[in-house]
Amino acid sequence: MAQGRGEDIVSEFLDQNPQLVNWVESLRGHCETNKQWEARREFILRNMETFPTIQPGSPSPSLDRLLSLSMVWANHVFLGCRYPQPVMDKVNEMAEGITVKEAPERKTRDEIMGKTKRPAVSAVGADYLVKKTKPNDTDLKDPVKSVGHPAASTLKSGPSPGAPAEHQPFFNRLYKAVAWKLVSVGGYGPNLEHFEIFRSCVESCKASLSCVFVPLKDIPDLPSGRTQREGQVCELRCHTVYMGTGYGRDECAARAMASKEALKVFQGQKVTVKVCRRRFRGRDVEDLVLLDEQPRSQVFPPALSYPFQGDQ
């Protein structure tokens, strides 16, 4: 628990403000241990003055934000959860002066294995995706509409040289929107509504996602031992920038998996738009890809769509 002088400060503060005792206790989570709650309670009380609009006993956005930040800090200290670096910097600054006795020490899987690389983002695998596809290009605000492939002769060599710099400011804003959204829902995890979270963040930045669906049965060159041929593959883009690919039993499941993969990119300290080589319809093309700072092999699933088209 928060030890020594920290406990004395909290007790002294509550003795001087008895009207806060019942209210602050009502903020305790049902599953929190005494150690976790006493540390998080100290975090809340220490930082209340930085949220002057908080009125004890009355719900407010400021209170929700303070409670979210307190949970982020407690989840990091006691459960080993990781959050985007700007969020971690914020909660660590707010927790300055709080001492937690016998806090658990945790390592990530990569730290335990002595690795820093992350597997290539693909729910189907680079070898499963294709050279010949017939995608449905979708703006998520509209129903899925079928569109044909352009002729190969109309494909450009790729995005303009200045495209990454042009798109970077938007994705810097999106990074901040995703970071705070994940704080509000308790952090990145497998049980989130990944698509809804991602879509709301993109729309808050005055943009929209687009996705391409390809039936798995229409994808040739699957490994001979693979018996599963039902389902959909989904590719997500925003402002023509590729962000993730996912596989699922139907379009909704594939879209959710692609969103989950896309959100992983936002777990680092920043995101960067870069020009990368990808396969599209049997040939190498230059594509805009959103990346984090994790070192990894530059292996991407083949593109299901290619937005850089026009007369050569």
mmCIF file of all heavy atoms in Angstrom, residues 114-160:
data_model
loop_
_atom_site.group_PDB
_atom_site.id
_atom_site.type_symbol
_atom_site.label_atom_id
_atom_site.label_comp_id
_atom_site.label_asym_id
_atom_site.label_seq_id
_atom_site.Cartn_x
_atom_site.Cartn_y
_atom_site.Cartn_z
ATOM 1 N N GLY A 114 13.835 -11.659 -24.806
ATOM 2 C CA GLY A 114 14.997 -10.959 -25.306
ATOM 3 C C GLY A 114 14.830 -10.475 -26.720
ATOM 4 O O GLY A 114 15.787 -10.363 -27.468
ATOM 5 N N LYS A 115 13.567 -10.173 -27.107
ATOM 6 C CA LYS A 115 13.288 -9.739 -28.464
ATOM 7 C C LYS A 115 12.597 -8.390 -28.427
ATOM 8 O O LYS A 115 11.941 -8.038 -27.457
ATOM 9 C CB LYS A 115 12.379 -10.739 -29.193
ATOM 10 C CG LYS A 115 12.987 -12.133 -29.317
ATOM 11 C CD LYS A 115 12.005 -13.059 -30.005
ATOM 12 C CE LYS A 115 12.581 -14.458 -30.155
ATOM 13 N NZ LYS A 115 11.623 -15.372 -30.785
ATOM 14 N N THR A 116 12.730 -7.656 -29.502
ATOM 15 C CA THR A 116 12.010 -6.403 -29.651
ATOM 16 C C THR A 116 11.151 -6.394 -30.891
ATOM 17 O O THR A 116 10.378 -5.486 -31.103
ATOM 18 C CB THR A 116 12.988 -5.212 -29.748
ATOM 19 O OG1 THR A 116 13.868 -5.433 -30.839
ATOM 20 C CG2 THR A 116 13.785 -5.064 -28.467
ATOM 21 N N LYS A 117 11.267 -7.409 -31.724
ATOM 22 C CA LYS A 117 10.485 -7.442 -32.955
ATOM 23 C C LYS A 117 9.081 -7.934 -32.678
ATOM 24 O O LYS A 117 8.865 -8.767 -31.800
ATOM 25 C CB LYS A 117 11.140 -8.341 -34.007
ATOM 26 C CG LYS A 117 12.444 -7.774 -34.547
ATOM 27 C CD LYS A 117 12.970 -8.652 -35.668
ATOM 28 C CE LYS A 117 14.236 -8.061 -36.259
ATOM 29 N NZ LYS A 117 14.759 -8.888 -37.360
ATOM 30 N N ARG A 118 8.147 -7.454 -33.432
ATOM 31 C CA ARG A 118 6.773 -7.893 -33.353
ATOM 32 C C ARG A 118 6.412 -8.579 -34.649
ATOM 33 O O ARG A 118 6.878 -8.171 -35.704
ATOM 34 C CB ARG A 118 5.859 -6.675 -33.138
ATOM 35 C CG ARG A 118 4.475 -7.025 -32.609
ATOM 36 C CD ARG A 118 3.710 -5.757 -32.300
ATOM 37 N NE ARG A 118 3.379 -5.040 -33.513
ATOM 38 C CZ ARG A 118 2.994 -3.777 -33.531
ATOM 39 N NH1 ARG A 118 2.944 -3.090 -32.439
ATOM 40 N NH2 ARG A 118 2.691 -3.187 -34.681
ATOM 41 N N PRO A 119 5.609 -9.648 -34.606
ATOM 42 C CA PRO A 119 5.247 -10.320 -35.855
ATOM 43 C C PRO A 119 4.585 -9.359 -36.822
ATOM 44 O O PRO A 119 3.960 -8.387 -36.428
ATOM 45 C CB PRO A 119 4.264 -11.408 -35.390
ATOM 46 C CG PRO A 119 4.567 -11.608 -33.952
ATOM 47 C CD PRO A 119 5.018 -10.279 -33.430
ATOM 48 N N ALA A 120 4.733 -9.651 -38.086
ATOM 49 C CA ALA A 120 4.099 -8.823 -39.111
ATOM 50 C C ALA A 120 2.596 -8.816 -38.897
ATOM 51 O O ALA A 120 1.999 -9.822 -38.525
ATOM 52 C CB ALA A 120 4.428 -9.351 -40.502
ATOM 53 N N VAL A 121 1.971 -7.677 -39.107
ATOM 54 C CA VAL A 121 0.547 -7.523 -38.871
ATOM 55 C C VAL A 121 -0.234 -8.179 -39.991
ATOM 56 O O VAL A 121 -0.278 -7.671 -41.101
ATOM 57 C CB VAL A 121 0.187 -6.027 -38.781
ATOM 58 C CG1 VAL A 121 -1.311 -5.863 -38.634
ATOM 59 C CG2 VAL A 121 0.908 -5.391 -37.617
ATOM 60 N N SER A 122 -0.821 -9.330 -39.686
ATOM 61 C CA SER A 122 -1.673 -9.987 -40.671
ATOM 62 C C SER A 122 -2.409 -11.118 -39.999
ATOM 63 O O SER A 122 -1.811 -11.965 -39.358
ATOM 64 C CB SER A 122 -0.846 -10.548 -41.828
ATOM 65 O OG SER A 122 -1.664 -11.308 -42.679
ATOM 66 N N ALA A 123 -3.727 -11.123 -40.142
ATOM 67 C CA ALA A 123 -4.506 -12.204 -39.568
ATOM 68 C C ALA A 123 -4.540 -13.412 -40.478
ATOM 69 O O ALA A 123 -4.891 -14.495 -40.064
ATOM 70 C CB ALA A 123 -5.936 -11.731 -39.284
ATOM 71 N N VAL A 124 -4.239 -13.246 -41.728
ATOM 72 C CA VAL A 124 -4.268 -14.361 -42.667
ATOM 73 C C VAL A 124 -2.867 -14.829 -42.983
ATOM 74 O O VAL A 124 -2.629 -16.013 -43.206
ATOM 75 C CB VAL A 124 -4.978 -13.938 -43.968
ATOM 76 C CG1 VAL A 124 -4.999 -15.058 -44.973
ATOM 77 C CG2 VAL A 124 -6.393 -13.479 -43.657
ATOM 78 N N GLY A 125 -1.907 -13.924 -42.963
ATOM 79 C CA GLY A 125 -0.531 -14.274 -43.288
ATOM 80 C C GLY A 125 -0.190 -13.785 -44.676
ATOM 81 O O GLY A 125 -1.014 -13.822 -45.580
ATOM 82 N N ALA A 126 1.044 -13.331 -44.806
ATOM 83 C CA ALA A 126 1.447 -12.739 -46.083
ATOM 84 C C ALA A 126 1.320 -13.727 -47.230
ATOM 85 O O ALA A 126 0.990 -13.352 -48.352
ATOM 86 C CB ALA A 126 2.888 -12.242 -45.976
ATOM 87 N N ASP A 127 1.554 -15.013 -46.945
ATOM 88 C CA ASP A 127 1.496 -15.994 -48.029
ATOM 89 C C ASP A 127 0.079 -16.319 -48.454
ATOM 90 O O ASP A 127 -0.143 -16.921 -49.496
ATOM 91 C CB ASP A 127 2.195 -17.287 -47.593
ATOM 92 C CG ASP A 127 3.687 -17.098 -47.471
ATOM 93 O OD1 ASP A 127 4.212 -16.179 -48.126
ATOM 94 O OD2 ASP A 127 4.310 -17.856 -46.716
ATOM 95 N N TYR A 128 -0.914 -15.944 -47.590
ATOM 96 C CA TYR A 128 -2.292 -16.290 -47.910
ATOM 97 C C TYR A 128 -2.938 -15.250 -48.814
ATOM 98 O O TYR A 128 -3.904 -15.539 -49.505
ATOM 99 C CB TYR A 128 -3.138 -16.382 -46.629
ATOM 100 C CG TYR A 128 -2.742 -17.503 -45.709
ATOM 101 C CD1 TYR A 128 -3.376 -17.640 -44.483
ATOM 102 C CD2 TYR A 128 -1.741 -18.404 -46.057
ATOM 103 C CE1 TYR A 128 -3.022 -18.651 -43.630
ATOM 104 C CE2 TYR A 128 -1.388 -19.415 -45.191
ATOM 105 C CZ TYR A 128 -2.037 -19.536 -43.980
ATOM 106 O OH TYR A 128 -1.697 -20.532 -43.129
ATOM 107 N N LEU A 129 -2.478 -14.023 -48.753
ATOM 108 C CA LEU A 129 -3.120 -12.966 -49.516
ATOM 109 C C LEU A 129 -2.619 -12.975 -50.951
ATOM 110 O O LEU A 129 -1.679 -13.680 -51.296
ATOM 111 C CB LEU A 129 -2.874 -11.620 -48.830
ATOM 112 C CG LEU A 129 -3.535 -11.555 -47.453
ATOM 113 C CD1 LEU A 129 -3.238 -10.230 -46.806
ATOM 114 C CD2 LEU A 129 -5.032 -11.753 -47.562
ATOM 115 N N VAL A 130 -3.265 -12.148 -51.807
ATOM 116 C CA VAL A 130 -3.220 -12.536 -53.186
ATOM 117 C C VAL A 130 -2.781 -11.516 -54.166
ATOM 118 O O VAL A 130 -2.634 -10.352 -53.879
ATOM 119 C CB VAL A 130 -4.627 -12.949 -53.635
ATOM 120 C CG1 VAL A 130 -4.957 -14.279 -53.135
ATOM 121 C CG2 VAL A 130 -5.585 -11.871 -53.303
ATOM 122 N N LYS A 131 -2.674 -12.095 -55.371
ATOM 123 C CA LYS A 131 -2.311 -11.282 -56.500
ATOM 124 C C LYS A 131 -3.559 -10.865 -57.273
ATOM 125 O O LYS A 131 -3.556 -9.866 -57.948
ATOM 126 C CB LYS A 131 -1.388 -12.101 -57.405
ATOM 127 C CG LYS A 131 -0.182 -12.646 -56.635
ATOM 128 C CD LYS A 131 0.598 -13.641 -57.434
ATOM 129 C CE LYS A 131 1.754 -14.218 -56.651
ATOM 130 N NZ LYS A 131 2.540 -15.183 -57.369
ATOM 131 N N LYS A 132 -4.632 -11.659 -57.202
ATOM 132 C CA LYS A 132 -5.855 -11.356 -57.944
ATOM 133 C C LYS A 132 -7.015 -11.312 -56.969
ATOM 134 O O LYS A 132 -7.320 -12.310 -56.346
ATOM 135 C CB LYS A 132 -6.120 -12.429 -59.005
ATOM 136 C CG LYS A 132 -5.030 -12.480 -60.083
ATOM 137 C CD LYS A 132 -5.350 -13.541 -61.104
ATOM 138 C CE LYS A 132 -4.274 -13.630 -62.170
ATOM 139 N NZ LYS A 132 -4.544 -14.677 -63.163
ATOM 140 N N THR A 133 -7.637 -10.154 -56.804
ATOM 141 C CA THR A 133 -8.756 -10.005 -55.886
ATOM 142 C C THR A 133 -9.816 -9.153 -56.535
ATOM 143 O O THR A 133 -9.568 -8.420 -57.482
ATOM 144 C CB THR A 133 -8.318 -9.330 -54.574
ATOM 145 O OG1 THR A 133 -7.725 -8.076 -54.909
ATOM 146 C CG2 THR A 133 -7.315 -10.185 -53.833
ATOM 147 N N LYS A 134 -11.036 -9.252 -55.992
ATOM 148 C CA LYS A 134 -12.138 -8.410 -56.444
ATOM 149 C C LYS A 134 -12.755 -7.753 -55.219
ATOM 150 O O LYS A 134 -13.735 -8.227 -54.687
ATOM 151 C CB LYS A 134 -13.178 -9.247 -57.181
ATOM 152 C CG LYS A 134 -12.632 -9.843 -58.472
ATOM 153 C CD LYS A 134 -13.692 -10.651 -59.189
ATOM 154 C CE LYS A 134 -13.164 -11.238 -60.486
ATOM 155 N NZ LYS A 134 -14.157 -12.043 -61.186
ATOM 156 N N PRO A 135 -12.125 -6.683 -54.715
ATOM 157 C CA PRO A 135 -12.560 -6.118 -53.438
ATOM 158 C C PRO A 135 -13.811 -5.273 -53.560
ATOM 159 O O PRO A 135 -14.169 -4.807 -54.633
ATOM 160 C CB PRO A 135 -11.370 -5.254 -53.027
ATOM 161 C CG PRO A 135 -10.770 -4.842 -54.337
ATOM 162 C CD PRO A 135 -10.953 -6.013 -55.266
ATOM 163 N N ASN A 136 -14.436 -5.071 -52.395
ATOM 164 C CA ASN A 136 -15.502 -4.103 -52.249
ATOM 165 C C ASN A 136 -14.926 -2.929 -51.498
ATOM 166 O O ASN A 136 -14.586 -3.047 -50.331
ATOM 167 C CB ASN A 136 -16.684 -4.687 -51.450
ATOM 168 C CG ASN A 136 -17.339 -5.798 -52.210
ATOM 169 O OD1 ASN A 136 -17.479 -5.721 -53.419
ATOM 170 N ND2 ASN A 136 -17.737 -6.848 -51.510
ATOM 171 N N ASP A 137 -14.763 -1.790 -52.157
ATOM 172 C CA ASP A 137 -14.191 -0.608 -51.525
ATOM 173 C C ASP A 137 -15.305 0.123 -50.807
ATOM 174 O O ASP A 137 -16.310 0.449 -51.404
ATOM 175 C CB ASP A 137 -13.557 0.290 -52.593
ATOM 176 C CG ASP A 137 -12.586 1.260 -51.957
ATOM 177 O OD1 ASP A 137 -12.517 1.265 -50.722
ATOM 178 O OD2 ASP A 137 -11.923 1.997 -52.711
ATOM 179 N N THR A 138 -15.126 0.368 -49.507
ATOM 180 C CA THR A 138 -16.232 0.832 -48.687
ATOM 181 C C THR A 138 -15.877 2.073 -47.908
ATOM 182 O O THR A 138 -14.854 2.102 -47.256
ATOM 183 C CB THR A 138 -16.621 -0.256 -47.661
ATOM 184 O OG1 THR A 138 -16.838 -1.458 -48.369
ATOM 185 C CG2 THR A 138 -17.855 0.142 -46.885
ATOM 186 N N ASP A 139 -16.698 3.087 -47.990
ATOM 187 C CA ASP A 139 -16.675 4.128 -46.984
ATOM 188 C C ASP A 139 -17.624 3.658 -45.888
ATOM 189 O O ASP A 139 -18.760 3.315 -46.149
ATOM 190 C CB ASP A 139 -17.159 5.452 -47.569
ATOM 191 C CG ASP A 139 -16.986 6.580 -46.575
ATOM 192 O OD1 ASP A 139 -17.625 6.526 -45.510
ATOM 193 O OD2 ASP A 139 -16.228 7.508 -46.875
ATOM 194 N N LEU A 140 -17.161 3.645 -44.636
ATOM 195 C CA LEU A 140 -17.915 2.997 -43.574
ATOM 196 C C LEU A 140 -19.233 3.695 -43.273
ATOM 197 O O LEU A 140 -20.058 3.163 -42.557
ATOM 198 C CB LEU A 140 -17.062 2.935 -42.310
ATOM 199 C CG LEU A 140 -15.815 2.062 -42.483
ATOM 200 C CD1 LEU A 140 -15.032 2.031 -41.203
ATOM 201 C CD2 LEU A 140 -16.203 0.664 -42.904
ATOM 202 N N LYS A 141 -19.427 4.875 -43.814
ATOM 203 C CA LYS A 141 -20.709 5.535 -43.590
ATOM 204 C C LYS A 141 -21.779 5.009 -44.537
ATOM 205 O O LYS A 141 -22.959 5.286 -44.377
ATOM 206 C CB LYS A 141 -20.548 7.050 -43.774
ATOM 207 C CG LYS A 141 -19.611 7.687 -42.746
ATOM 208 C CD LYS A 141 -19.494 9.178 -42.976
ATOM 209 C CE LYS A 141 -18.572 9.815 -41.943
ATOM 210 N NZ LYS A 141 -18.422 11.272 -42.169
ATOM 211 N N ASP A 142 -21.375 4.262 -45.583
ATOM 212 C CA ASP A 142 -22.312 3.760 -46.583
ATOM 213 C C ASP A 142 -22.307 2.251 -46.610
ATOM 214 O O ASP A 142 -21.359 1.611 -46.161
ATOM 215 C CB ASP A 142 -21.916 4.283 -47.978
ATOM 216 C CG ASP A 142 -21.927 5.802 -48.027
ATOM 217 O OD1 ASP A 142 -22.843 6.390 -47.418
ATOM 218 O OD2 ASP A 142 -21.024 6.365 -48.651
ATOM 219 N N PRO A 143 -23.341 1.619 -47.170
ATOM 220 C CA PRO A 143 -23.314 0.166 -47.348
ATOM 221 C C PRO A 143 -22.185 -0.232 -48.280
ATOM 222 O O PRO A 143 -21.679 0.561 -49.067
ATOM 223 C CB PRO A 143 -24.686 -0.136 -47.970
ATOM 224 C CG PRO A 143 -25.534 1.051 -47.653
ATOM 225 C CD PRO A 143 -24.602 2.224 -47.598
ATOM 226 N N VAL A 144 -21.802 -1.504 -48.197
ATOM 227 C CA VAL A 144 -20.730 -2.011 -49.050
ATOM 228 C C VAL A 144 -21.162 -1.943 -50.503
ATOM 229 O O VAL A 144 -22.249 -2.364 -50.871
ATOM 230 C CB VAL A 144 -20.402 -3.469 -48.674
ATOM 231 C CG1 VAL A 144 -19.372 -4.041 -49.640
ATOM 232 C CG2 VAL A 144 -19.884 -3.528 -47.254
ATOM 233 N N LYS A 145 -20.292 -1.399 -51.353
ATOM 234 C CA LYS A 145 -20.592 -1.289 -52.776
ATOM 235 C C LYS A 145 -19.451 -1.911 -53.554
ATOM 236 O O LYS A 145 -18.286 -1.680 -53.262
ATOM 237 C CB LYS A 145 -20.752 0.171 -53.169
ATOM 238 C CG LYS A 145 -21.900 0.868 -52.446
ATOM 239 C CD LYS A 145 -21.973 2.336 -52.835
ATOM 240 C CE LYS A 145 -23.099 3.044 -52.083
ATOM 241 N NZ LYS A 145 -23.157 4.472 -52.419
ATOM 242 N N SER A 146 -19.782 -2.703 -54.565
ATOM 243 C CA SER A 146 -18.765 -3.378 -55.364
ATOM 244 C C SER A 146 -18.158 -2.404 -56.350
ATOM 245 O O SER A 146 -18.850 -1.606 -56.975
ATOM 246 C CB SER A 146 -19.381 -4.554 -56.132
ATOM 247 O OG SER A 146 -19.880 -5.512 -55.241
ATOM 248 N N VAL A 147 -16.839 -2.476 -56.479
ATOM 249 C CA VAL A 147 -16.140 -1.692 -57.484
ATOM 250 C C VAL A 147 -15.168 -2.591 -58.181
ATOM 251 O O VAL A 147 -14.634 -3.533 -57.608
ATOM 252 C CB VAL A 147 -15.395 -0.493 -56.849
ATOM 253 C CG1 VAL A 147 -16.365 0.460 -56.203
ATOM 254 C CG2 VAL A 147 -14.365 -0.978 -55.851
ATOM 255 N N GLY A 148 -14.889 -2.324 -59.439
ATOM 256 C CA GLY A 148 -13.986 -3.169 -60.198
ATOM 257 C C GLY A 148 -12.548 -2.738 -60.049
ATOM 258 O O GLY A 148 -12.247 -1.639 -59.595
ATOM 259 N N HIS A 149 -11.617 -3.615 -60.433
ATOM 260 C CA HIS A 149 -10.208 -3.275 -60.463
ATOM 261 C C HIS A 149 -9.913 -2.391 -61.656
ATOM 262 O O HIS A 149 -10.468 -2.567 -62.729
ATOM 263 C CB HIS A 149 -9.356 -4.547 -60.609
ATOM 264 C CG HIS A 149 -9.034 -5.175 -59.303
ATOM 265 N ND1 HIS A 149 -8.427 -4.493 -58.288
ATOM 266 C CD2 HIS A 149 -9.230 -6.443 -58.860
ATOM 267 C CE1 HIS A 149 -8.249 -5.302 -57.266
ATOM 268 N NE2 HIS A 149 -8.738 -6.484 -57.577
ATOM 269 N N PRO A 150 -8.993 -1.449 -61.492
ATOM 270 C CA PRO A 150 -8.540 -0.716 -62.668
ATOM 271 C C PRO A 150 -7.662 -1.603 -63.519
ATOM 272 O O PRO A 150 -7.081 -2.564 -63.032
ATOM 273 C CB PRO A 150 -7.722 0.439 -62.054
ATOM 274 C CG PRO A 150 -7.230 -0.133 -60.762
ATOM 275 C CD PRO A 150 -8.320 -1.040 -60.265
ATOM 276 N N ALA A 151 -7.555 -1.258 -64.766
ATOM 277 C CA ALA A 151 -6.640 -2.005 -65.623
ATOM 278 C C ALA A 151 -5.218 -1.807 -65.141
ATOM 279 O O ALA A 151 -4.853 -0.762 -64.614
ATOM 280 C CB ALA A 151 -6.776 -1.512 -67.067
ATOM 281 N N ALA A 152 -4.398 -2.846 -65.318
ATOM 282 C CA ALA A 152 -3.020 -2.783 -64.830
ATOM 283 C C ALA A 152 -2.270 -1.624 -65.454
ATOM 284 O O ALA A 152 -1.381 -1.038 -64.833
ATOM 285 C CB ALA A 152 -2.311 -4.103 -65.133
ATOM 286 N N SER A 153 -2.617 -1.246 -66.679
ATOM 287 C CA SER A 153 -1.888 -0.187 -67.356
ATOM 288 C C SER A 153 -2.138 1.176 -66.733
ATOM 289 O O SER A 153 -1.410 2.124 -67.007
ATOM 290 C CB SER A 153 -2.281 -0.148 -68.827
ATOM 291 O OG SER A 153 -3.677 0.111 -68.954
ATOM 292 N N THR A 154 -3.211 1.310 -65.887
ATOM 293 C CA THR A 154 -3.510 2.605 -65.295
ATOM 294 C C THR A 154 -2.857 2.789 -63.933
ATOM 295 O O THR A 154 -3.022 3.821 -63.310
ATOM 296 C CB THR A 154 -5.025 2.786 -65.131
ATOM 297 O OG1 THR A 154 -5.513 1.829 -64.182
ATOM 298 C CG2 THR A 154 -5.739 2.603 -66.456
ATOM 299 N N LEU A 155 -2.159 1.771 -63.418
ATOM 300 C CA LEU A 155 -1.542 1.880 -62.112
ATOM 301 C C LEU A 155 -0.343 2.817 -62.155
ATOM 302 O O LEU A 155 0.520 2.702 -63.011
ATOM 303 C CB LEU A 155 -1.093 0.505 -61.605
ATOM 304 C CG LEU A 155 -2.211 -0.470 -61.239
ATOM 305 C CD1 LEU A 155 -1.604 -1.798 -60.831
ATOM 306 C CD2 LEU A 155 -3.083 0.082 -60.144
ATOM 307 N N LYS A 156 -0.289 3.723 -61.187
ATOM 308 C CA LYS A 156 0.883 4.560 -61.049
ATOM 309 C C LYS A 156 1.953 3.800 -60.289
ATOM 310 O O LYS A 156 1.726 2.753 -59.713
ATOM 311 C CB LYS A 156 0.533 5.838 -60.292
ATOM 312 C CG LYS A 156 -0.266 6.846 -61.109
ATOM 313 C CD LYS A 156 -0.445 8.125 -60.315
ATOM 314 C CE LYS A 156 -1.175 9.169 -61.123
ATOM 315 N NZ LYS A 156 -1.359 10.432 -60.369
ATOM 316 N N SER A 157 3.153 4.367 -60.266
ATOM 317 C CA SER A 157 4.243 3.718 -59.537
ATOM 318 C C SER A 157 4.089 3.864 -58.043
ATOM 319 O O SER A 157 4.688 3.116 -57.283
ATOM 320 C CB SER A 157 5.588 4.313 -59.982
ATOM 321 O OG SER A 157 5.607 5.715 -59.730
ATOM 322 N N GLY A 158 3.271 4.802 -57.590
ATOM 323 C CA GLY A 158 3.073 4.945 -56.160
ATOM 324 C C GLY A 158 2.682 6.349 -55.780
ATOM 325 O O GLY A 158 2.417 7.205 -56.630
ATOM 326 N N PRO A 159 2.637 6.641 -54.471
ATOM 327 C CA PRO A 159 2.262 7.973 -54.000
ATOM 328 C C PRO A 159 3.328 9.004 -54.354
ATOM 329 O O PRO A 159 4.474 8.660 -54.639
ATOM 330 C CB PRO A 159 2.145 7.781 -52.487
ATOM 331 C CG PRO A 159 3.029 6.613 -52.185
ATOM 332 C CD PRO A 159 2.931 5.716 -53.373
ATOM 333 N N SER A 160 2.956 10.256 -54.280
ATOM 334 C CA SER A 160 3.904 11.328 -54.579
ATOM 335 C C SER A 160 4.984 11.381 -53.504
ATOM 336 O O SER A 160 4.757 10.972 -52.361
ATOM 337 C CB SER A 160 3.177 12.666 -54.644
ATOM 338 O OG SER A 160 2.653 13.011 -53.366
#
